[in-house]
Amino acid sequence: MENKVLRILVVDDEERIRKLVRMYLERNAFEVEEAEDGNQALEMALENQYDLIVLDLMLPGMDGRKVCEEIRKQSDVPVIMLTAAGDESSRIHGFELGADDYVVKPFSPRELVMRVKALLKRAQVKNEVHQDVGHVLSTHGLTINMDSRKVIVEEEEVPLTPKEYELLCYLVQRPDKVFSREELLRDVWNYQFFGDQRTVDTHVKRLREKLGRHSAKVADMIVTVWGVGYKFEVRE
């Protein structure tokens, strides 16, 4: 990864924002390409290999939610959603569609760069692990194939976003250990100095809902430890 120039697609209908983000990313040795509307962004994302996409929510032609949804059908490329809508429902919907992070306008360009680096580092670690790990996690109706990244509950596949999958694997591999939200942000999202702890709560909620559609028992294995965080607990 050290010798590779990482490519980032910046999508925003405001040229001023695109240029600002581009300037800060290029200062950090990233190669940057731009798109100004949703249709152009989707076309570029599917035709090119990007290491990360910074995607505005409100776009002409096709909005960012739809762009993200379409990208997720074919790619696990990290996506940072960029938006003026900072309310919880907007963030949750963005995560549901597969966004890995959410930055609210107005934002600090330096913080955005830090979030980009954090996501890229996490993606690198994930790829290295998947090259080396070839096993299946299985417990009480839940099966996770680490090679295919498939999650099976009661013999049915459960579609998860990349971050939901990583969170589930992290907890399942460490049963009964209680993790604080800060620890999960650090280890799953790789946020060491910043990060909205509600991001963790949102992902846990969505993960439980998706698992619960197939088995309430499996969903209940993700346990809230009040005042602390979460753990994965196998219940007979």
Side-chain angles (χ1 to χ4, degrees), residues 20-105:
L20 178 65
V21 173
R22 179 173 196 146
M23 178 179 68
Y24 273 84
L25 290 173
E26 288 182 340
R27 284 180 182 176
N28 285 268
F30 294 111
E31 179 181 319
V32 180
E33 296 183 12
E34 302 175 23
E36 61 183 8
D37 63 58
N39 293 317
Q40 181 188 19
L42 181 59
E43 181 179 352
M44 293 176 68
L46 297 183
E47 291 183 357
N48 300 279
Q49 291 290 328
Y50 295 106
D51 296 285
L52 184 141
I53 298 175
V54 178
L55 179 63
D56 186 33
L57 184 64
M58 302 301 293
L59 294 169
M62 179 187 298
D63 69 22
R65 293 187 183 94
K66 184 63 176 178
V67 174
C68 186
E69 183 179 20
E70 292 301 316
I71 289 173
R72 277 292 169 259
K73 293 178 180 179
Q74 301 188 41
S75 173
D76 284 344
V77 60
V79 174
I80 296 179
M81 198 77 84
L82 195 62
T83 178
D87 60 279
E88 183 180 8
S89 61
S90 294
R91 289 198 307 273
I92 289 174
H93 191 44
F95 288 135
E96 286 176 352
L97 297 177
D100 296 279
D101 200 358
Y102 217 96
V103 177
V104 178
K105 298 178 181 178

Side-chain angles (χ1 to χ4, degrees), residues 11-195:
V11 186
D12 199 294
D13 60 332
E14 294 187 50
E15 183 179 8
R16 176 185 60 84
I17 292 179
R18 294 200 311 272
K19 299 305 181 187
L20 178 65
V21 173
R22 179 173 196 146
M23 178 179 68
Y24 273 84
L25 290 173
E26 288 182 340
R27 284 180 182 176
N28 285 268
F30 294 111
E31 179 181 319
V32 180
E33 296 183 12
E34 302 175 23
E36 61 183 8
D37 63 58
N39 293 317
Q40 181 188 19
L42 181 59
E43 181 179 352
M44 293 176 68
L46 297 183
E47 291 183 357
N48 300 279
Q49 291 290 328
Y50 295 106
D51 296 285
L52 184 141
I53 298 175
V54 178
L55 179 63
D56 186 33
L57 184 64
M58 302 301 293
L59 294 169
M62 179 187 298
D63 69 22
R65 293 187 183 94
K66 184 63 176 178
V67 174
C68 186
E69 183 179 20
E70 292 301 316
I71 289 173
R72 277 292 169 259
K73 293 178 180 179
Q74 301 188 41
S75 173
D76 284 344
V77 60
V79 174
I80 296 179
M81 198 77 84
L82 195 62
T83 178
D87 60 279
E88 183 180 8
S89 61
S90 294
R91 289 198 307 273
I92 289 174
H93 191 44
F95 288 135
E96 286 176 352
L97 297 177
D100 296 279
D101 200 358
Y102 217 96
V103 177
V104 178
K105 298 178 181 178
F107 58 90
S108 161
R110 290 188 180 91
E111 180 180 340
L112 178 61
V113 170
M114 290 297 295
R115 289 180 181 267
V116 166
K117 289 181 177 180
L119 274 181
L120 288 171
K121 183 177 180 181
R122 181 64 191 172
Q124 179 194 18
V125 171
K126 178 185 71 176
N127 290 336
E128 289 173 350
V129 169
H130 290 160
Q131 290 173 5
D132 298 334
V133 175
H135 63 276
V136 174
L137 301 175
S138 183
T139 179
H140 293 79
L142 170 66
T143 300
I144 303 174
N145 189 308
M146 303 291 283
D147 285 336
S148 65
R149 292 174 63 85
K150 289 185 178 180
V151 174
I152 308 296
V153 174
E154 300 297 347
E155 301 184 355
E156 293 186 4
E157 183 176 352
V158 182
L160 300 178
T161 67
K163 198 58 64 181
E164 289 166 353
Y165 171 83
E166 291 171 26
L167 176 60
L168 178 62
C169 286
Y170 187 84
L171 294 172
V172 172
Q173 288 177 302
R174 301 158 181 84
D176 295 324
K177 179 173 174 56
V178 179
F179 294 96
S180 68
R181 292 171 178 81
E182 292 88 347
E183 288 176 309
L184 293 172
L185 280 171
R186 182 193 67 205
D187 295 341
V188 178
W189 281 263
N190 202 34
Y191 295 167
Q192 296 182 6
F193 305 108
F194 53 81

